[in-house]
Amino acid sequence: MTEHTFDLVVLGGGSGGYAAALRAAELGKSVALVEKDKVGGTCLHRGCIPTKALLHAAEVAETARDASAIGIRATFEGVDPAGVRAYREGIVAKKFKGLEGLVKARGITVVAGEGRLEAGPAVRVGDDLYRGTDVVLATGSYSRSLPGLEIGGRVLTSEHALELDEIPARVVILGGGVIGVEFASVWRSFGVDVTIVEALDHLVPNEDIALSKALERAFRRRGIASSLGVRFQGVTQTADGVTVALEDGKTFEADYLLVAVGRGPATAGLGFEEAGVTLDRGFVVTDERLRTGVDHVWAVGDIVPGLQLAHRGFQQGIFVAEEIAGLSPVVIPDTHIPKVTYSHPEVASVGLTEAQAADARGADGIVAYEYNLAGNGKSEILGTSGIVKVVRVKDGPVIGVHLVGDRVGELITEGQLAVGWEAHPEDIAPFIHAHPTQSEALGEAFLALAGKPLHAL
């Protein structure tokens, strides 16, 4: 056995792990980064980046199909799965190469192999032991299924869906959350008949109800079918397709079933509990500063209860590196972390929904305002419908910003600033939004909540 010593050992090279490694190295620490696959993790190789490349390809397909509506002569001849795959893989490869170069330039030691936490703290990889003054756990997540629902054949997870070398004719998607509606959007743009099955009453059920309803309307107009409020019962498959049954007796025939019911923490069999780390339903229990119950062992990303977002893990990785270095970074609550669903149309939000705000402060203690994108010039040019919804404390700060419409994900940072800095609409109203931009819609909402609406009655 060979023993190696570092200031920091990071177990997992995804968004949270590599961020912790990079920031710690920047702060002068010696760092070992243990990764069993490729640095960049699920987000870069099987999640955020490849799926958003697919969504861009879908947007181009929609644009080509509808070009005549704006006076452009173009023909849509279909989708080349091999070409889309090459485009997607090229983007991932370029980003991966850049990340590898960055890690190397910072002097970080990358250890290839499956690591296991041991007391000390340390991480064992094969016969080697990597001791750290501190250890960060960043092992990420995996695609969940339902009890009794076996993945395989024509029953897919999102990772399998990315690897399909065909454009299916019909697909059923189990789960109407972020992953489900994004794949529904892609496949519909590629000409697939799509049905979403969601046990709860609305798509993207964690969003403000106004956004859920707006997305449902948009999906109906696009021809995406939804079965809401009825639970999945089972699936049978043959060599040619699947039959999906619901508890109310309805059945759906399709080429594939995509299981998109969320992601679970990847913590099993990694020695966490044996080393004294407390788990709750597989998640690592930490305090608000991301310390586990074991001295000098920290956790970041999807294994920590809360929003499972790559940028949350990234921020937590930076936070832990700075906390270890004694810089006392500011804790960012999950409610201040922006969320974006990159479907057509997009859904973006930060802060409290109207219902959450009413529960927290009473219905009489809040004011909510919706501005329709029909009144926004740039949205009209883009051909998108949607809404901007802002929630404020009565006579107080903005506590929630909620958007639906094409490209609105690019606007949510302004919402994050308003919520995070506890800005009052009256503070924001004097600031000018460039014309014509979709950001003007946010400006209109702030103006209205400040008592001086211009483009709305």
Side-chain angles (χ1 to χ4, degrees):
M1 181 186 78
T2 304
E3 189 168 309
H4 313 265
T5 302
F6 293 85
D7 294 325
L8 181 66
V9 177
V10 182
L11 179 55
S15 299
Y18 84 70
L22 288 173
R23 183 63 177 131
E26 188 176 57
L27 292 169
K29 304 289 186 181
S30 61
V31 181
L33 180 60
V34 179
E35 172 55 52
K36 67 179 181 180
D37 190 4
K38 294 179 179 179
V39 173
T42 295
C43 176
L44 176 54
H45 299 285
R46 299 174 299 280
C48 319
I49 298 301
T51 58
K52 277 53 185 181
L54 268 184
L55 282 154
H56 180 62
E59 181 184 16
V60 172
E62 292 280 3
T63 301
R65 188 184 286 115
D66 299 335
S68 62
I70 56 174
I72 303 299
R73 294 186 184 134
T75 56
F76 176 72
E77 298 179 1
V79 179
D80 173 14
V84 172
R85 184 188 187 113
Y87 157 71
R88 186 187 78 232
E89 290 180 346
I91 290 173
V92 171
K94 186 175 181 179
K95 296 294 102 182
F96 176 51
K97 183 177 181 180
L99 180 57
E100 280 190 312
L102 188 59
V103 168
K104 183 178 180 180
R106 292 277 170 84
I108 296 166
T109 299
V110 177
V111 181
E114 185 162 346
R116 180 182 175 86
L117 181 66
E118 293 194 1
V123 174
R124 181 176 297 281
V125 183
D127 292 330
D128 289 345
L129 191 68
Y130 296 83
R131 290 198 180 277
T133 304
D134 290 272
V135 169
V136 174
L137 308 177
T139 47
S141 60
Y142 64 92
S143 293
R144 286 189 187 273
S145 186
L146 296 178
L149 177 54
E150 296 292 330
I151 303 297
R154 291 183 173 269
V155 179
L156 315 173
T157 66
S158 58
E159 289 92 338
H160 302 127
L162 279 172
E163 298 303 317
L164 279 182
D165 58 2
E166 63 173 305
I167 305 299
R170 298 173 300 170
V171 172
V172 173
I173 298 175
L174 181 57
V178 174
I179 296 172
V181 302
E182 287 186 350
F183 270 95
S185 192
V186 167
W187 273 324
R188 187 61 190 144
S189 294
F190 287 171
V192 180
D193 287 335
V194 179
T195 299
I196 302 173
V197 173
E198 170 55 56
L200 298 177
D201 292 335
H202 292 285
L203 298 180
V204 289
N206 292 328
E207 298 288 353
D208 189 277
I209 187 65
L211 271 58
S212 294
K213 290 181 176 180
L215 181 65
E216 290 160 14
R217 289 192 297 269
F219 271 22
R220 283 195 295 271
R221 288 194 295 269
R222 294 186 60 197
I224 298 173
S226 299
S227 172
L228 304 174
V230 180
R231 291 183 178 277
F232 167 84
Q233 185 175 66
V235 60
T236 57
Q237 61 173 304
T238 66
D240 300 319
V242 297
T243 301
V244 178
L246 305 187
E247 288 186 350
D248 65 357
K250 287 183 181 177
T251 60
F252 300 96
E253 307 285 336
D255 298 324
Y256 293 97
L257 171 66
L258 170 63
V259 180
V261 294
R263 298 185 65 82
T267 56
L270 299 178
F272 290 4
E273 288 183 293
E274 293 86 341
V277 173
T278 301
L279 301 183
D280 181 9
R281 295 168 298 153
F283 290 96
V284 176
V285 176
T286 71
D287 64 13
E288 69 165 6
R289 305 198 74 81
L290 300 174
R291 292 176 293 222
T292 72
V294 179
D295 287 344
H296 297 284
V297 177
W298 313 74
V300 301
D302 286 359
I303 61 174
V304 178
L307 297 173
Q308 291 182 312
L309 299 169
H311 48 279
R312 173 183 180 255
F314 184 83
Q315 186 275 333
Q316 288 181 338
I318 295 170
F319 176 95
V320 163
E322 293 182 350
E323 182 77 359
I324 290 170
L327 300 183
S328 299
V330 174
V331 173
I332 304 297
D334 275 8
T335 52
H336 290 184
I337 297 174
K339 301 176 291 182
V340 183
T341 301
Y342 296 89
S343 50
H344 167 42
E346 290 183 350
V347 176
S349 65
V350 65
L352 301 180
T353 66
E354 182 177 0
Q356 290 169 338
D359 287 343
R361 297 179 177 268
D364 294 336
I366 63 165
V367 180
Y369 179 81
E370 291 184 21
Y371 180 80
N372 197 304
L373 291 185
N376 177 258
K378 187 60 179 286
S379 296
E380 187 71 25
I381 291 166
L382 295 174
T384 185
S385 59
I387 60 171
V388 169
K389 181 174 182 177
V390 178
V391 183
R392 75 174 297 184
V393 174
K394 189 174 182 179
D395 299 322
V398 173
I399 55 175
V401 175
H402 310 276
L403 316 167
V404 61
D406 289 338
R407 306 190 187 181
V408 297
E410 300 296 337
L411 306 181
I412 199 58
T413 297
E414 181 177 347
Q416 181 190 29
L417 292 174
V419 172
W421 285 345
E422 299 182 344
H424 290 223
E426 294 82 1
D427 298 327
I428 306 170
F431 292 110
I432 298 169
H433 293 78
H435 177 75
T437 64
Q438 285 185 292
S439 69
E440 289 178 285
L442 261 178
E444 290 288 345
F446 293 136
L447 281 167
L449 285 174
K452 45 184 178 182
L454 290 185
H455 290 88
L457 299 176

